[in-house]
Amino acid sequence: MGFYGEVLDKVSDLITAAFGLVAALAWNGAIQALFVQAFGTTESLAAQFSYAIIVTVIAVLATIWIARLAAQAGREKKE
């Protein structure tokens, strides 16, 4: 792969990461709104830590689930 190919590869990676960031920010706003609706205000430090812990647990579980799905798809593709 030449220089042009490397640049194109990196630009596509950056654009993909940018869209991922935009999606993450959109989900963050939605989850915060849901948290406020379910538990009230998020102005206190305890509420912010609760939100961060809940989102972290969800993110870890989702990451494990997606990794398992990807591994399963990889095994099926090889067969």
Side-chain angles (χ1 to χ4, degrees), residues 2-3 6 9-10 14 18 25 29 33-34 38 40-41 47-48 52 60 63-64 68 75-76 79:
F3 179 74
E6 289 180 41
D9 186 47
K10 294 303 175 192
L14 289 172
L25 291 172
L34 178 66
T41 182
Q48 290 179 0
V60 167
T63 302
I64 291 169
R68 287 181 180 174
R75 283 192 303 270
E76 289 175 2
E79 293 176 351

Side-chain angles (χ1 to χ4, degrees), residues 64-79:
I64 291 169
W65 180 63
I66 291 168
R68 287 181 180 174
L69 287 175
Q72 182 181 5
R75 283 192 303 270
E76 289 175 2
K77 188 176 182 181
K78 287 181 182 178
E79 293 176 351

Side-chain angles (χ1 to χ4, degrees), residues 3-68:
F3 179 74
Y4 177 76
E6 289 180 41
V7 169
L8 189 60
D9 186 47
K10 294 303 175 192
V11 169
S12 69
D13 287 345
L14 289 172
I15 290 171
T16 302
F19 279 122
L21 177 61
V22 170
L25 291 172
W27 277 106
N28 183 51
I31 293 169
Q32 281 183 345
L34 178 66
F35 186 85
V36 168
Q37 198 171 48
F39 301 107
T41 182
T42 60
E43 294 174 7
S44 72
L45 188 59
Q48 290 179 0
F49 271 101
S50 297
Y51 170 74
I53 290 168
I54 290 168
V55 169
T56 301
V57 168
I58 291 170
V60 167
L61 294 174
T63 302
I64 291 169
W65 180 63
I66 291 168
R68 287 181 180 174

